[in-house]
Amino acid sequence: MEELDVAGLLDLTGIFVFAVSGALAAVRQRLDVVGMVVLAEITALGGGILRDLIIGAVPPAAFTSLGYVLTPLVASVLVFHWHPQVARLLPGVLLFDAAGLGLFCATGTIKAMDHGLSPLHAALLGVITGIGGGILRDVLSGQIPAVLYDRQLYALPAMLGAAVVAAARSLGLHGALVTAGAAVLVFGLRVLAVRYGWRTPRPRGVTD
Amino acid sequence: MEELDVAGLLDLTGIFVFAVSGALAAVRQRLDVVGMVVLAEITALGGGILRDLIIGAVPPAAFTSLGYVLTPLVASVLVFHWHPQVARLLPGVLLFDAAGLGLFCATGTIKAMDHGLSPLHAALLGVITGIGGGILRDVLSGQIPAVLYDRQLYALPAMLGAAVVAAARSLGLHGALVTAGAAVLVFGLRVLAVRYGWRTPRPRGVTD
Amino acid sequence: MEELDVAGLLDLTGIFVFAVSGALAAVRQRLDVVGMVVLAEITALGGGILRDLIIGAVPPAAFTSLGYVLTPLVASVLVFHWHPQVARLLPGVLLFDAAGLGLFCATGTIKAMDHGLSPLHAALLGVITGIGGGILRDVLSGQIPAVLYDRQLYALPAMLGAAVVAAARSLGLHGALVTAGAAVLVFGLRVLAVRYGWRTPRPRGVTD
């Protein structure tokens, strides 16, 4: 039996919402149930697997935890049966996704620093943890990764959140409060960006 | 000189048929000989490389075995010169591919359990070993991975075969017989699915 | 402070020119500044990260070196502000890219042999080091990797250069001269191929 503390529950929540976004992408691509499960698992676990391979923490957590593998299955069952309702909840899903992004960035940065990476490199790996699964989801769905367009700010809040965690930790501050603070920062920035249509600048002469 | 026992020969057979499918994809995409060799190597070796990276068996077997690297070259030479004939043999190639899928799932699951993964996670990694190379082939060819549509059952037989191997091994059963039995199960299911047009269910409201 | 010798400077030069090609791909895809930075980093560092994961040198050099991460940022700033001028310099960029390809193949092969790989496998990994970043760039940009078409010879010079380094090293020859010689060979072949429109053969019946 795996221990389920607050951090573990938050982790599984992040995995769940990322899996929902993967399963919804499968509906859009008219995939069967198998394709849905594959996309849900990869979206939810891909970023963490990349992180663990890079820091040498093998086998990655996804291959030692039961909850990590089963949670995307649950998300797939829900989306398979009730995807119109889930899609109608999309603004709510976006909120969950923003929360998941914040959590993954923060916990990814912390795990990377625990494995000896410098604050800069740990923040970079925190961002990879947060956005890696979504990139794999989009590539497997035959689309240019949404994060590369960064409409409504996705990667930028992740970078800021990871940088805050890395900076705090290199000043000796850590614990649940820093993690939560950074996750809330990412979440808030992302929600404000969606609300007000903020976006990052594009190169000279580049328009839609 | 590498030892060539029955298991080794079966392994190279699986690599060969996967390489043929990669080389044929190169013909369809009108690639040069170099693109053909790259696709053949990645299709044949990609799943095993992913498996070895995840369990920490580095360098992966593909980077220590001569036969693993040379076999896709042989497949490329054959397809380069005689691809119309090879394509005409496609039903035969499908049979070989089903055999390769069965073998890779079984041996991947076993190697993962030997490295200490739980039966569930080992079966998952066995499936990745079986379908990973084909996914990379399709992504590099600019297509949504065929396995995600799972027309005519591809991933599902792989999952069942890997689960059987993992279950047998956790009951203390292993050896060539279990491997062969699981490979035959995958092979048979796949052949029956192609013959009778079986496919997995799709979410409500999703049609072709 | 990281030591900056000649080899280090050449390495950063290779990273810089690969990053420029990634940033230019972002302009073509009309990405924002964030997408540009992501593509520049992945193009420049992707091949080396793949190499280091495969030989088990974790965390990869990209996650321990400051210069590796910052150089693509500099390239992104340049392309962001002056991409029309940079694109006009494209023949020059092609030359730089050929130089980077030669360097990455040579140094990748050497690092792989230092980690105990056979000459054949080390040369294979050298090629992956040279072409891996560009493949990731093209996949993320939604395109079939340019190297698979190998118009104007890209992978073939890389293979020859890596083979020369591996052969020389297994004969006891190494040092800056061999690296430089192989890099010049790759560079020269690539430039001649572009100049004279050389390309590799395609399978029978395959035309543009």
Side-chain angles (χ1 to χ4, degrees):
Chain A
M1 190 62 205
E2 298 169 56
E3 198 187 331
L4 262 189
D5 46 16
V6 175
L9 267 177
L10 287 177
D11 224 22
L12 290 182
T13 307
I15 286 174
F16 180 80
V17 294
F18 277 4
V20 167
S21 86
L24 285 174
V27 173
R28 278 195 302 275
Q29 298 291 338
R30 309 194 157 283
L31 303 183
D32 292 9
V33 63
V34 169
M36 179 178 283
V37 170
V38 174
L39 272 192
E41 295 278 356
I42 288 178
T43 309
L45 306 178
I49 292 174
L50 287 175
R51 174 202 61 210
D52 288 348
L53 290 180
I54 286 170
I55 57 176
V58 288
F63 289 90
T64 58
S65 152
L66 195 60
Y68 278 33
V69 173
L70 296 184
T71 301
L73 282 183
V74 174
S76 298
V77 169
L78 289 177
V79 171
F80 186 84
H81 286 291
W82 296 287
H83 64 88
Q85 290 86 336
V86 173
R88 219 175 301 137
L89 291 171
L90 206 66
V93 173
L94 267 177
L95 289 185
F96 271 93
D97 181 83
L101 179 69
L103 282 167
F104 276 32
C105 286
T107 56
T109 304
I110 289 167
K111 188 167 184 180
M113 288 186 84
D114 286 344
H115 276 74
L117 266 64
S118 78
L120 175 83
H121 292 103
L124 180 62
L125 205 45
V127 173
I128 291 173
T129 309
I131 71 177
I135 288 178
L136 291 173
R137 175 199 63 211
D138 292 343
V139 166
L140 291 177
S141 306
Q143 306 195 297
I144 296 181
V147 69
L148 291 185
Y149 288 98
D150 216 35
R151 302 241 160 75
Q152 305 171 327
L153 304 194
Y154 197 89
L156 203 65
M159 291 175 192
L160 283 177
V164 164
V165 170
R169 201 173 180 80
S170 62
L171 293 172
L173 299 169
H174 41 87
L177 212 67
V178 171
T179 309
V184 167
L185 172 71
V186 175
F187 177 81
L189 270 176
R190 174 100 177 92
V191 168
L192 286 174
V194 171
R195 173 72 185 78
Y196 292 105
W198 292 344
R199 56 185 304 181
T200 47
R202 277 171 297 175
R204 190 152 53 90
V206 169
T207 55
D208 278 324
Chain B
M1 191 61 204
E2 297 169 58
E3 198 186 332
L4 261 190
D5 45 16
V6 175
L9 266 177
L10 287 175
D11 224 24
L12 290 183
T13 307
I15 286 174
F16 180 79
V17 295
F18 277 3
V20 167
S21 88
L24 286 174
V27 173
R28 278 196 301 276
Q29 298 290 339
R30 311 194 156 281
L31 304 182
D32 292 10
V33 64
V34 169
M36 179 179 283
V37 169
V38 173
L39 272 193
E41 294 279 355
I42 287 178
T43 308
L45 306 178
I49 291 174
L50 286 175
R51 175 202 60 210
D52 289 349
L53 291 180
I54 287 170
I55 56 175
V58 289
F63 289 90
T64 57
S65 152
L66 195 60
Y68 279 32
V69 172
L70 296 185
T71 301
L73 282 183
V74 174
S76 298
V77 169
L78 288 177
V79 171
F80 187 85
H81 286 291
W82 297 287
H83 65 88
Q85 290 86 336
V86 174
R88 218 176 301 138
L89 290 171
L90 205 66
V93 172
L94 266 176
L95 289 185
F96 271 94
D97 181 82
L101 180 68
L103 282 167
F104 276 32
C105 287
T107 56
T109 304
I110 291 167
K111 188 165 184 181
M113 287 185 85
D114 286 344
H115 275 74
L117 265 63
S118 78
L120 175 83
H121 293 102
L124 181 62
L125 205 45
V127 173
I128 291 173
T129 309
I131 71 178
I135 288 179
L136 291 173
R137 173 200 64 210
D138 292 343
V139 166
L140 292 178
S141 307
Q143 306 196 297
I144 295 180
V147 70
L148 290 186
Y149 288 97
D150 214 35
R151 301 241 161 74
Q152 306 172 326
L153 304 195
Y154 196 90
L156 203 66
M159 290 176 192
L160 283 177
V164 165
V165 171
R169 201 173 179 79
S170 61
L171 293 172
L173 301 168
H174 39 88
L177 212 66
V178 170
T179 309
V184 167
L185 172 70
V186 175
F187 177 80
L189 270 177
R190 175 102 176 90
V191 168
L192 287 174
V194 171
R195 173 71 184 75
Y196 293 103
W198 292 345
R199 57 185 304 181
T200 47
R202 279 171 296 176
R204 189 151 53 90
V206 169
T207 55
D208 277 326
Chain C
M1 191 61 204
E2 299 168 54
E3 198 187 331
L4 261 190
D5 46 17
V6 176
L9 266 178
L10 288 176
D11 224 22
L12 289 183
T13 307
I15 286 173
F16 180 79
V17 293
F18 277 3
V20 166
S21 88
L24 286 174
V27 173
R28 279 195 301 275
Q29 298 290 339
R30 310 195 157 281
L31 303 181
D32 292 9
V33 63
V34 169
M36 179 177 283
V37 169
V38 173
L39 272 193
E41 294 278 356
I42 287 178
T43 308
L45 306 178
I49 292 173
L50 287 176
R51 175 202 61 209
D52 288 349
L53 290 180
I54 286 170
I55 56 176
V58 288
F63 290 89
T64 58
S65 152
L66 196 61
Y68 278 33
V69 173
L70 296 184
T71 301
L73 282 183
V74 174
S76 298
V77 169
L78 289 177
V79 171
F80 187 85
H81 286 292
W82 296 287
H83 65 87
Q85 290 86 337
V86 173
R88 218 176 301 138
L89 290 171
L90 206 66
V93 172
L94 267 176
L95 289 185
F96 271 94
D97 181 82
L101 180 68
L103 282 167
F104 275 32
C105 286
T107 56
T109 304
I110 290 167
K111 187 165 183 182
M113 288 185 85
D114 287 344
H115 276 74
L117 265 63
S118 78
L120 175 83
H121 293 101
L124 181 61
L125 206 46
V127 173
I128 292 173
T129 310
I131 71 177
I135 288 179
L136 291 173
R137 173 199 64 210
D138 292 343
V139 166
L140 291 177
S141 306
Q143 305 197 299
I144 296 180
V147 69
L148 290 185
Y149 288 97
D150 215 34
R151 302 241 161 75
Q152 305 171 327
L153 305 195
Y154 196 90
L156 203 65
M159 290 175 193
L160 284 178
V164 165
V165 170
R169 200 171 180 82
S170 60
L171 293 172
L173 299 168
H174 40 89
L177 213 66
V178 171
T179 309
V184 167
L185 172 70
V186 175
F187 177 81
L189 270 176
R190 174 102 177 91
V191 168
L192 287 173
V194 171
R195 174 71 184 78
Y196 292 104
W198 293 344
R199 55 185 306 181
T200 47
R202 277 171 297 174
R204 188 152 53 88
V206 169
T207 54
D208 277 325

